[in-house]
Amino acid sequence: MAGLIRLATFLCVNSIFMTKAINTLDELRSDTYYSALMPGKTSLLYFTNPAFPSNIIFLDELQKSAGALQDYGISVAKVNCMKEDLLKYCGEENAYLFRGAKLVREFPTDALFDVDSIVANVLFVLLYNEVKYITTSMEHQNIESAMKGKKDLIFAYVQAIGIPEHRSVMETAFVYGSKYQFILTTETKLLENISASLDSSRLFFSHCKGIKTHSQECPRTILEQPITTVNIHRFLKLMDAPLVMDISGDPEKVTSVHLQLGLPMVFILSQQETYEFDRTTAEHVAWQLLGKAGIGILLREKAHSSVPTNCNVAVKRPNEDSPVQYMTMEETQEIRNIIEKSNMEQYNKSEETSVFATQEIQDDEVAEAVYRDRKRTLPLHLVPSLTDENFKHVLTNPPMSMILYYASWEAVSLTLLQTFVHMAEKYKDTLDMILARVNCADWPNICSEQNVSNIPVVKIYQMGKEPLEYTGMLGAEELFRFSMLAKVDCPLELFSYEEAEQFLSGKLNQFLLPYHNLSVLGIFTKNTKEVDSYFNAGKSLWGFASLGIYYEDNAMIMHDTNQVHSATLQHTAERDIINTVRMELLREFPEITMENFPTFFMQKKPLLVLFSNCNPTQSDEKHILNLVRGRYLDQFLACWLNLKNTPVGVGILQRYFGIVPSLPQLVLIDFDSLGQVFSFPLDHHLTDVNILYWLEMIKAGAELPVYSLSNEDWKPPLPDYNFLDVMDAEVPGFAAQKIRIQMKPNRRQKVEDSPEGVEEESEAKQYPPGSSLRGTVPKFIEQGKKFRSHTEL
């Protein structure tokens, strides 16, 4: 009975849709529709055949789009075919676009899946000359060069044809197509060279009209808001506004496009004798804040008497009740800091109050961090993107190259991409190798050939050697250290007593001294089993440690010093050698950080952590080292945590104790099934004897834990989001119908909608000079108080 009720409900809903679509859409007969195609008139017609079931969902979306298309002079109608009709249009379940009686384009209904896709696709066809679709960077460069001195350029990247952003671009082009040249692409490789974010659609305004010479590049400004018709229109009004306004009188009474659109105005107070220099400065600031604030220049001779004489910058907010703020500044960067800080506060406020804010919270913390960092600009030119055409060339030419394999839609990939670019930028004068990247989403064949089964991954290639894979932390410093240590073989074969001595002292490869604190020398007789284990361990540690091997019948090379420790290997497995070296890399009493915590955790030993707000005192370190060297703490991992270096420690202590206790605080954290945490008594001195007694009391069960770790599984912070349920909540059966349409055989392949990850670039390539505001301050003011610069965000 329940099944019959659901079936009846579904049929009832479909009946409502059919009635609505039929009663609203204009209907034509297949034998008379031709006469309705008027010369010069554009029509979108859908032919229905009684031999095929009607596409209910498409008819409903077509009806909804009729009003929108009518605004652009396009009529929409349904043509009813008769059973005996042999008309070719009746044999296919498609929609057809006519200009007069001429067929312009045939659309499979799969491509017209909602109102946005219908409007976008139709306008895309009609605006063929106004909106150029490109697939290569060369096409982009050619169009941009042709527009220099003629028109400004609008370049839009959308993730797929027919999505809402595509519709917004096409509707804008319908209005502004004669004023600007529009370029559209869905190719991510075009966006990679100019933007750091591939996770959503992007729109750029290229200022080509004012370019005088072809050698000069067009400055580019990005639309930072989501791509909607309203936002694009607002953006274009800002781009058309004067770069710098000359004003006079009282700034309180000034009005401008920027203020009308909710953006602040910045006034630079100038003097007649320094006006030209100050205008250059104002233009420099205007380029930096284009689309974020308006810039005006006010001569003191023409200023209202209420304008203070000891200030050189004024800021007017769009709020009517907000007074003009007067300030004295020395550098233009201070203006930028104030405006960007104000805009960020406004943005955060709108994010908090938005009804959609909860939908922007990701259920994965890495994805959440990438999303919140989406406006960050990355210098991607430092790590060029490779294709199947230039990949082999990069591998064969340089002596050494480092390549990142990633997927532009995946959060961890985008995180490592940021790290990779940051390393390239920070160490560009030190790295002696080629850095590049391969987007496996675009070039899966390259990744398959290079045995990339997991992403992201970084590999180092050297001529004649197997590639090295990076398996460390996703940090720029760690990645750079890996690249430097990878330059030397591991293990490095040594051929003389002197070379072995130099290897241990660090004199053999002195350039490696800043990047490692441990040299491991294996001394073997040839053709022993231990040699193979040591060689395999060295290969696993290549890039992470410095290992050498020397063949000698005696071990006289090992001096009895505190710096050199010897160990005898008797059938030691490769895994044990690797584990021993990794523990030695941490030193006897190391600092625990976010970067090395996984190494500690993998040892599966209780952590004995000394929490402090600085480095351990000499006395505390001495007592703990005595216990470590006396092997009293072999069952523990002794370490220390500086709350200033690792602020997360504050939260850990608050979780354990409810508050941050007096420091230093020694804590034992056991990761077994009980997960108990014990604290060293605050009324006891931290001595060898007291620490051992405390540990013995814990072992005997005489100490009570201050906290117990949760043994629950780590799950996403949010429940799964069922998109199909949401779609069906709006239109019952809609999601199921969408799936049915997409899986129809013999259909034209639908454009893939693949959201991409990480990056924006709103700065123009070169701007006029003028980063100082000192000339705008009267000389008698300059001799007074020096103002501190505003801090960077």
Side-chain angles (χ1 to χ4, degrees), residues 26-134:
D26 291 336
E27 293 191 40
L28 303 173
R29 288 164 50 95
S30 56
D31 56 347
T32 59
Y33 85 93
Y34 194 82
S35 59
L37 299 177
M38 301 172 57
K41 179 75 173 178
T42 303
S43 305
L44 179 65
L45 304 181
Y46 174 62
F47 291 78
T48 62
N49 192 321
F52 300 108
S54 297
N55 192 330
I56 304 299
I57 298 299
F58 173 73
L59 283 173
D60 187 58
E61 298 298 322
L62 187 66
Q63 173 267 318
K64 294 176 184 176
S65 67
L69 291 175
Q70 188 64 44
D71 294 338
Y72 303 106
I74 303 166
S75 61
V76 180
K78 184 183 74 166
V79 179
N80 295 315
C81 296
M82 305 300 178
K83 288 185 178 181
E84 62 275 8
D85 270 336
L86 298 178
L87 192 67
K88 63 177 182 178
Y89 303 133
C90 294
E92 297 284 343
E93 193 180 345
N94 295 333
Y96 300 88
L97 186 66
F98 291 88
R99 175 70 62 85
K102 182 181 179 181
L103 176 64
V104 178
R105 180 65 59 89
E106 172 186 347
F107 295 109
T109 54
D110 286 4
L112 308 180
F113 44 86
D114 59 11
V115 176
D116 292 324
S117 62
I118 294 173
V119 176
N121 275 285
V122 170
L123 292 181
F124 195 20
V125 173
L126 298 180
L127 299 176
Y128 176 79
N129 293 320
E130 289 80 2
V131 182
K132 300 292 185 182
Y133 182 82
I134 61 173

Side-chain angles (χ1 to χ4, degrees), residues 554-570:
N554 58 71
M556 293 299 294
I557 191 172
M558 304 300 295
H559 297 288
D560 187 16
T561 67
N562 291 331
Q563 287 75 35
V564 179
H565 305 280
S566 62
T568 302
L569 300 181
Q570 294 181 347

Side-chain angles (χ1 to χ4, degrees), residues 412-629:
V412 179
S413 289
L414 296 178
T415 302
L416 186 54
L417 175 60
Q418 291 184 6
T419 299
F420 198 62
V421 174
H422 178 57
M423 180 197 68
E425 185 177 30
K426 185 175 182 179
Y427 300 107
K428 59 184 177 182
D429 298 328
T430 308
L431 282 166
D432 185 21
M433 62 179 67
I434 297 296
L435 300 180
R437 56 194 163 94
V438 174
N439 187 350
C440 293
D442 291 335
W443 305 104
N445 56 319
I446 297 179
C447 299
S448 177
E449 291 171 0
Q450 297 303 313
N451 296 321
V452 176
S453 56
N454 297 306
I455 53 171
V457 67
V458 174
K459 290 191 176 186
I460 287 183
Y461 295 84
Q462 301 182 68
M463 295 293 290
K465 299 179 182 178
E466 289 293 319
L468 297 181
E469 183 173 321
Y470 179 69
T471 57
M473 292 292 293
L474 305 186
E477 287 74 20
E478 290 76 18
L479 198 56
F480 173 67
R481 190 182 304 117
F482 172 76
S483 68
M484 299 304 291
L485 290 174
K487 293 182 178 181
V488 177
D489 289 351
C490 185
L492 178 64
E493 192 167 354
L494 306 170
F495 299 98
S496 68
Y497 179 92
E498 290 74 17
E499 278 190 349
E501 282 279 9
Q502 291 178 351
F503 175 81
L504 283 177
S505 63
K507 296 179 180 178
L508 187 61
N509 293 299
Q510 295 189 15
F511 74 94
L512 292 180
L513 286 177
Y515 312 115
H516 75 100
N517 54 31
L518 178 72
S519 294
V520 181
L521 177 61
I523 303 176
F524 300 93
T525 56
K526 291 188 176 181
N527 302 320
T528 59
K529 295 180 180 179
E530 290 80 6
V531 173
D532 293 336
S533 297
Y534 187 76
F535 255 100
N536 292 333
K539 290 180 180 179
S540 298
L541 293 168
W542 200 341
F544 298 96
S546 179
L547 274 68
I549 186 169
Y550 178 60
Y551 298 105
E552 182 60 71
D553 293 332
N554 58 71
M556 293 299 294
I557 191 172
M558 304 300 295
H559 297 288
D560 187 16
T561 67
N562 291 331
Q563 287 75 35
V564 179
H565 305 280
S566 62
T568 302
L569 300 181
Q570 294 181 347
H571 307 292
T572 302
E574 170 192 340
R575 182 179 59 185
D576 296 328
I577 299 175
I578 295 173
N579 188 58
T580 301
V581 173
R582 284 179 173 167
M583 290 306 301
E584 287 293 334
L585 287 171
L586 294 176
R587 299 184 177 181
E588 295 175 299
F589 183 44
E591 178 184 8
I592 186 170
T593 63
M594 298 290 290
E595 288 75 19
N596 62 20
F597 173 74
T599 303
F600 286 88
F601 189 74
M602 285 189 295
Q603 304 305 314
K604 297 182 179 179
K605 289 184 177 182
L607 288 183
L608 189 63
V609 187
L610 180 65
F611 288 87
S612 64
N613 54 6
C614 59
N615 291 351
T617 64
Q618 189 173 2
S619 174
D620 293 343
E621 186 174 21
K622 175 186 175 182
H623 291 302
I624 295 178
L625 279 175
N626 287 340
L627 296 175
V628 172
R629 291 169 181 170

Side-chain angles (χ1 to χ4, degrees), residues 759-775:
E759 336 66 28
E760 305 171 4
E761 182 175 338
S762 59
E763 301 285 336
K765 303 297 182 183
Q766 294 290 335
Y767 297 110
S771 60
S772 175
L773 289 167
R774 293 185 180 89

